[in-house]
Amino acid sequence: MTSPHHATPDDVTPGDATPDNAAPATDWWRDAVIYQVYPRSFADANGDGMGDLAGVRSRLPYLRDLGVDAVWLSPFYASPQADAGYDVADYRAIDPMFGTLPDAEAVIREAHRLDLRIIVDLVPNHCSDQHEWFRRALAEGPGSTTRERFHFRKGRGENGEEPPNDWESLFGGPAWTRVPDGEWYLHLFAPEQPDFNWDHPAVQDEFRSILRFWLDLGVDGFRVDVAHGLVKAPGLPDMGRGEQLKLLGNQVLPFFDQDGVHEIYRSWRTVLDEYSPSLRPGVPPGSRIAVAEAWTPSADRTALYLRPDELHQAFNFHYLDTGWDAAALREAIDSSLDAMRPVAAPTTWVLSNHDVVRHRTRLGGGPDRARAATLLMLALPGSAYLYQGEELGLPEVTDLPDEVRQDPSFFRDAGQEGLRDGCRVPLPWSGDAPPYGFGDGGSWLPQPDDWAGLTVEAQTGDPASTLELYRTALTLRRTHPGLGAGESVEWLDAPDGVLAFRRPGGLICTVNTTEAPACLPTPGRMLLASRQLSAPQGDFELPADTTVWWEE
């Protein structure tokens, strides 16, 4: 019998092309599937071994055909690349390794021609130590007005030889670096990334101007890096001291999730709304959005960033951090939906990104479990984020030699694990050996020798491939009335270790998170399964690590 992997929209007749639950054009972000492109690892057009904007542009038809709604581009701004572009020297210029400003404009235009939207990364918590402001601050010395735009402080100790407080960098070591004149500056990440002082009006004015610069070029939104970190507790107290400190996990962090960030985002929303909907020729109508990367203690705290006069979406890290366990997943799904409902924001779902171990490796269980997790995620109400290469079933590359690694936290003691390079290895497009069609000049991180079967070329047309599963799932998600936008799911009775829920519009999703088959009644007509299955009748066995979509 034909596998559900063979299914096309005509085969499954999922419903009208514009389902009743589809978000209107102005609210496109409420059910969008957004694909993250990490430009240096996506496609290399000039053969220097580094991905670039021209490479992104050349592959936009692939993303259109994959079935995504928008493309989020990780930073491509002018930068010394101390932290892969998250150390920005000029927010209005393109780093030469990626191309030019006209190249960026060409990507935006081509995306819009293909009915794709473009979201660009914005890095407001910190800049590069090569940013004009910071260089001036160093040159002008203590007491200068430019230094007030950052967090410069005198040190502690008899001669100021100790850092101003006990904060530690997320990359390891102190969060302070001393300059030759004796003062110290704050950097929550690498020393090359000084934090802005968001209490200063010039910082706030500058970033509103940056928003307008990119909106004028036609971008559809912004992903806000470290959105929870802009405001620090008054007085920059030591860890564990002060009434305004916020508990994040088991750590008290006076530099994260401070209430003052919300006034900043209210001012940004005013700017975004000026451009929504766009009447500019060539720019699609609809809201211009901002998406928060906000690590908070709970989904309820995340929801505060998404009140109607603030940002539009936030990454659901609570879901990303949930293991492959039915009870834990159900709790994460319910708490996420419950938190977003009062602020009328869509819940987002994400499994992988440029900072975490790819979910095929992180969840264990190999490709079957990864594909089951994907179909579960895409069945949930709201918006979904995909990370480049997950549609190919790429695993984390865990055996990169130390000498090729470039993650700055890898080179610092007591910091993050420093293994983010493993999810940033360039994509395999075609061929039997590295660089697999990535470009003509090799790749900036080495690709495994056994990826020939994972290329786009190898998987295209193979009904059992992960790529074709994603293509079919995204087509169904766009067209079936039981998928996409929504606020809740109806849980159905299921054996231990199995999730079963109904969506309005006639869709049921069943997920077996166990390592053994589970016996279930057939709830309807099989639309799609995460592995090849014959269409059952009556009771059937749902294999381990398998998700099935059913039409009632």
Side-chain angles (χ1 to χ4, degrees):
M1 180 172 290
T2 300
S3 160
H5 283 205
H6 289 277
T8 67
D10 290 334
D11 293 329
V12 297
T13 57
D16 296 333
T18 305
D20 293 340
N21 66 327
T26 54
D27 289 343
W28 63 272
W29 45 277
R30 290 189 173 275
D31 62 358
V33 176
I34 300 173
Y35 184 100
Q36 181 188 0
V37 165
Y38 192 69
R40 63 169 56 202
S41 298
F42 191 65
D44 172 21
N46 64 6
D48 66 355
M50 188 74 66
D52 45 45
L53 290 173
V56 172
R57 183 184 178 192
S58 72
R59 298 293 187 177
L60 287 175
Y62 163 79
L63 298 180
R64 175 202 57 196
D65 295 343
L66 181 62
V68 303
D69 301 293
V71 179
W72 152 32
L73 297 170
S74 291
F76 47 70
Y77 308 109
S79 167
Q81 303 296 320
D83 184 22
Y86 285 92
D87 50 317
V88 181
D90 187 340
Y91 291 86
R92 298 175 180 84
I94 308 301
D95 194 279
M97 74 162 57
F98 298 122
T100 64
L101 191 59
D103 288 328
E105 293 180 276
V107 169
I108 297 167
R109 286 195 306 271
E110 179 67 4
H112 289 165
R113 189 186 70 81
L114 296 171
D115 200 26
L116 293 168
R117 299 175 191 265
I118 292 290
I119 295 171
V120 298
D121 232 305
L122 188 66
V123 188
N125 178 72
H126 49 264
C127 63
S128 166
D129 60 358
Q130 299 304 305
H131 190 283
E132 177 189 2
W133 282 7
F134 192 74
R135 295 172 69 179
R136 282 171 49 196
L138 292 180
E140 292 171 3
S144 70
T145 56
T146 310
R147 282 205 177 186
E148 294 173 358
R149 300 174 185 180
F150 301 92
H151 294 280
F152 278 88
R153 296 289 187 277
K154 296 184 182 298
R156 297 193 289 198
E158 183 176 352
N159 298 307
E161 68 276 9
E162 297 294 329
N165 65 25
D166 64 357
W167 295 1
E168 293 187 359
S169 163
L170 272 72
F171 286 172
W176 296 90
T177 289
R178 197 177 193 186
V179 300
D181 57 44
E183 287 198 334
W184 299 72
Y185 68 89
L186 175 68
H187 53 87
L188 293 184
F189 296 90
E192 297 88 351
Q193 296 170 287
D195 279 41
F196 284 113
N197 174 15
W198 272 88
D199 292 331
H200 198 290
V203 175
Q204 300 192 27
D205 290 345
E206 170 67 359
F207 273 88
R208 283 191 291 266
S209 174
I210 292 167
L211 291 176
R212 288 190 172 94
F213 176 85
W214 287 100
L215 289 165
D216 286 339
L217 290 183
V219 302
D220 301 283
F222 302 89
R223 176 264 190 186
V224 184
D225 185 62
V226 195
H228 54 298
L230 277 57
V231 173
K232 279 65 175 176
L236 308 185
D238 282 339
M239 298 283 286
R241 182 167 58 81
E243 294 182 357
Q244 298 189 38
L245 307 189
K246 301 292 184 276
L247 187 65
L248 187 65
N250 295 320
Q251 290 184 295
V252 176
L253 300 178
F255 42 76
F256 279 168
D257 197 31
Q258 299 291 309
D259 289 336
V261 299
H262 299 291
E263 189 60 36
I264 296 169
Y265 297 135
R266 291 186 188 100
S267 75
W268 287 17
R269 182 60 177 261
T270 299
V271 174
L272 292 167
D273 286 349
E274 292 174 8
Y275 291 81
S276 306
S278 174
L279 300 179
R280 177 181 172 185
V283 179
S287 298
R288 300 296 179 260
I289 72 166
V291 183
E293 182 205 31
W295 293 88
T296 67
S298 67
D300 289 335
R301 288 292 302 181
T302 300
L304 296 179
Y305 291 74
L306 308 178
R307 288 173 285 196
D309 61 346
E310 294 191 40
L311 306 181
H312 297 75
Q313 291 185 346
F315 292 128
N316 189 346
F317 293 119
H318 307 291
Y319 184 77
L320 185 150
D321 287 339
T322 302
W324 188 241
D325 174 81
L329 286 165
R330 179 167 174 169
E331 190 283 327
I333 292 166
D334 281 342
S335 62
S336 298
L337 292 167
D338 290 346
M340 297 302 113
R341 203 172 295 118
V343 293
T347 306
T348 66
W349 312 101
V350 61
L351 291 170
S352 290
N353 65 35
H354 66 292
D355 279 335
V356 300
V357 173
R358 286 187 176 275
H359 70 270
R360 170 175 166 175
T361 300
R362 188 180 73 252
L363 295 177
D368 286 340
R369 183 171 297 175
R371 299 198 298 194
T374 294
L375 279 200
L376 167 59
M377 177 185 76
L378 292 176
L380 295 170
S383 180
Y385 282 79
L386 308 179
Y387 177 53
Q388 65 176 43
E390 70 171 78
E391 78 277 13
L392 304 178
L394 296 186
E396 185 82 358
V397 180
T398 58
D399 58 353
L400 289 169
D402 291 356
E403 60 268 20
V404 305
R405 292 190 178 276
Q406 300 193 28
D407 184 348
S409 65
F410 180 77
F411 301 98
R412 304 193 61 176
D413 294 333
Q416 296 177 336
E417 292 180 354
L419 300 178
R420 296 179 298 174
D421 291 319
C423 65
R424 301 177 179 183
V425 173
L427 295 192
W429 292 94
S430 60
D432 297 325
Y436 300 113
F438 172 68
D440 296 331
S443 60
W444 68 281
L445 284 173
Q447 300 159 303
D449 292 331
D450 60 356
W451 272 13
L454 297 177
T455 67
V456 172
E457 180 183 60
Q459 295 194 48
T460 294
D462 178 0
S465 72
T466 299
L467 176 57
E468 293 298 345
L469 174 68
Y470 270 72
R471 286 171 169 164
T472 302
L474 293 178
T475 297
L476 282 167
R477 194 179 189 279
R478 177 172 288 182
T479 57
H480 195 285
L483 293 165
E487 295 184 347
S488 62
V489 299
E490 176 190 353
W491 294 106
L492 306 176
D493 291 337
D496 289 344
V498 174
L499 296 173
F501 60 85
R502 175 184 287 114
R503 295 279 316 271
L507 183 120
I508 289 177
C509 179
T510 56
V511 186
N512 185 358
T513 68
T514 73
E515 297 182 356
C519 186
L520 296 171
T522 301
R525 182 168 67 92
M526 184 184 295
L527 287 177
L528 185 63
S530 61
R531 66 167 74 193
Q532 291 185 299
L533 298 176
S534 297
Q537 296 179 354
D539 291 348
F540 79 105
E541 283 195 343
L542 180 64
D545 292 331
T546 302
T547 298
V548 180
W549 293 355
W550 309 87
E551 187 169 56
E552 289 189 285

Coordinates of all heavy atoms in Angstrom, one line a residue, residues 27 36 58 83 88 98 179 182 191 207 214 292 298 300 318 386 395 422 434 451 471 521 540 542 548:
D27 N -2.1 39.2 10.1 CA -1.7 38.3 11.3 C -1.0 37.1 10.8 O -1.1 36.0 11.4 CB -2.9 38.0 12.1 CG -3.5 39.1 12.9 OD1 -2.8 40.1 13.1 OD2 -4.6 39.0 13.3
Q36 N 15.0 29.2 10.1 CA 16.2 29.9 10.5 C 17.3 29.6 9.5 O 17.7 28.4 9.4 CB 16.6 29.6 11.9 CG 17.9 30.4 12.3 CD 18.5 30.0 13.6 OE1 18.0 29.2 14.3 NE2 19.6 30.7 14.0
S58 N 20.2 32.4 -3.8 CA 20.1 31.3 -4.8 C 19.3 30.2 -4.3 O 18.8 29.4 -5.1 CB 21.6 30.9 -5.1 OG 22.1 30.1 -4.1
D83 N 32.1 36.5 17.9 CA 31.1 35.6 18.3 C 30.2 35.4 17.1 O 29.0 35.6 17.2 CB 30.3 36.1 19.5 CG 29.3 35.1 20.0 OD1 29.4 33.9 19.7 OD2 28.3 35.5 20.7
V88 N 28.4 43.1 16.9 CA 28.1 44.0 15.7 C 28.9 45.3 15.8 O 28.8 46.0 16.8 CB 26.6 44.3 15.6 CG1 26.3 45.1 14.4 CG2 25.8 43.0 15.6
F98 N 29.8 38.3 3.9 CA 28.5 37.9 3.5 C 28.1 38.7 2.3 O 27.1 38.3 1.6 CB 27.5 38.2 4.6 CG 27.7 37.4 5.9 CD1 27.9 38.0 7.1 CD2 27.8 36.0 5.8 CE1 28.2 37.2 8.2 CE2 28.0 35.2 6.9 CZ 28.2 35.8 8.1
V179 N 40.1 48.2 31.5 CA 40.8 48.9 30.5 C 42.0 49.7 31.1 O 42.1 49.8 32.3 CB 39.8 49.9 29.8 CG1 38.6 49.2 29.2 CG2 39.3 51.0 30.7
G182 N 42.0 52.0 34.1 CA 41.6 51.5 35.4 C 40.1 51.2 35.5 O 39.8 50.4 36.5
P191 N 34.4 39.3 26.1 CA 35.0 40.6 26.3 C 34.8 41.5 25.1 O 34.8 42.8 25.3 CB 36.4 40.4 26.7 CG 36.5 39.0 27.2 CD 35.4 38.2 26.4
F207 N 18.5 52.6 18.6 CA 17.9 51.3 18.1 C 16.5 51.5 17.5 O 16.1 50.8 16.6 CB 17.8 50.3 19.3 CG 19.1 49.5 19.4 CD1 20.1 50.0 20.1 CD2 19.2 48.4 18.6 CE1 21.3 49.3 20.2 CE2 20.4 47.6 18.7 CZ 21.5 48.1 19.5
W214 N 16.0 49.2 8.7 CA 15.7 47.9 8.1 C 14.3 47.8 7.6 O 14.0 47.1 6.6 CB 16.1 46.8 9.0 CG 17.6 46.7 9.1 CD1 18.4 47.2 10.1 CD2 18.5 46.1 8.1 NE1 19.7 47.0 9.8 CE2 19.8 46.3 8.6 CE3 18.2 45.5 6.9 CZ2 20.9 45.9 7.8 CZ3 19.3 45.1 6.1 CH2 20.6 45.3 6.6
A292 N 10.9 37.6 20.4 CA 11.9 37.7 21.5 C 12.6 36.3 21.8 O 12.0 35.3 21.9 CB 11.1 38.1 22.8
S298 N 9.6 31.1 33.6 CA 8.4 30.4 33.3 C 7.7 30.9 32.1 O 8.0 32.0 31.6 CB 7.4 30.6 34.5 OG 7.0 31.9 34.6
D300 N 4.7 31.9 32.0 CA 4.0 33.1 32.4 C 4.9 34.4 32.3 O 4.4 35.5 31.9 CB 3.5 33.0 33.8 CG 2.3 32.0 33.9 OD1 1.7 31.7 32.9 OD2 2.1 31.4 35.0
H318 N 10.8 26.6 27.0 CA 10.3 25.6 27.9 C 10.0 24.3 27.2 O 10.2 23.2 27.6 CB 9.1 26.2 28.6 CG 9.4 27.5 29.3 ND1 10.2 27.7 30.4 CD2 8.9 28.8 29.0 CE1 10.2 28.9 30.7 NE2 9.5 29.6 29.9
L386 N 11.8 26.3 12.4 CA 12.7 25.2 11.9 C 14.1 25.8 11.8 O 14.3 26.9 11.4 CB 12.2 24.7 10.6 CG 10.8 24.3 10.4 CD1 10.5 23.8 9.0 CD2 10.4 23.2 11.4
P395 N 22.3 15.1 12.1 CA 22.6 14.9 13.5 C 23.6 16.0 13.9 O 24.2 16.7 13.1 CB 23.3 13.6 13.5 CG 23.9 13.5 12.2 CD 23.0 14.2 11.2
G422 N 28.9 22.3 16.6 CA 28.4 21.0 16.1 C 27.0 21.2 15.3 O 26.7 20.3 14.5
P434 N 32.3 15.8 0.7 CA 32.4 17.2 1.1 C 33.0 18.1 0.0 O 33.9 17.6 -0.7 CB 33.3 17.2 2.4 CG 33.2 15.8 2.9 CD 33.0 14.9 1.7
W451 N 27.8 12.0 5.0 CA 26.6 12.7 4.8 C 26.0 12.7 3.4 O 25.1 13.3 3.1 CB 26.8 14.2 5.1 CG 26.6 14.5 6.6 CD1 26.5 13.7 7.6 CD2 26.5 15.8 7.2 NE1 26.3 14.3 8.8 CE2 26.3 15.7 8.6 CE3 26.6 17.1 6.7 CZ2 26.2 16.7 9.5 CZ3 26.4 18.2 7.5 CH2 26.2 18.0 8.9
R471 N 8.3 18.2 3.6 CA 7.6 18.9 2.6 C 6.1 18.6 2.6 O 5.3 19.4 2.5 CB 8.2 18.5 1.2 CG 9.5 19.1 0.9 CD 10.2 18.5 -0.3 NE 11.3 19.3 -0.8 CZ 12.3 18.9 -1.6 NH1 12.2 17.7 -2.1 NH2 13.3 19.7 -2.0
P521 N -7.1 2.4 19.0 CA -8.2 2.3 18.0 C -7.8 3.3 16.9 O -7.3 4.3 17.1 CB -9.4 2.7 18.8 CG -8.9 3.6 19.9 CD -7.6 3.0 20.3
F540 N -4.9 -0.9 16.0 CA -3.6 -1.0 15.3 C -2.5 -0.8 16.3 O -2.8 -0.2 17.4 CB -3.5 -0.1 14.1 CG -3.2 1.4 14.5 CD1 -1.9 1.9 14.3 CD2 -4.1 2.2 15.1 CE1 -1.6 3.2 14.7 CE2 -3.8 3.5 15.5 CZ -2.5 4.0 15.3
L542 N 0.7 1.3 17.2 CA 1.5 2.5 16.9 C 2.9 2.2 17.3 O 3.2 2.0 18.5 CB 0.9 3.7 17.6 CG 1.6 5.1 17.4 CD1 1.5 5.5 16.0 CD2 1.0 6.1 18.4
V548 N 1.5 10.1 14.2 CA 0.6 9.9 13.1 C -0.5 11.1 13.1 O -1.0 11.4 14.2 CB -0.2 8.6 13.1 CG1 -1.1 8.5 11.9 CG2 0.8 7.4 13.1

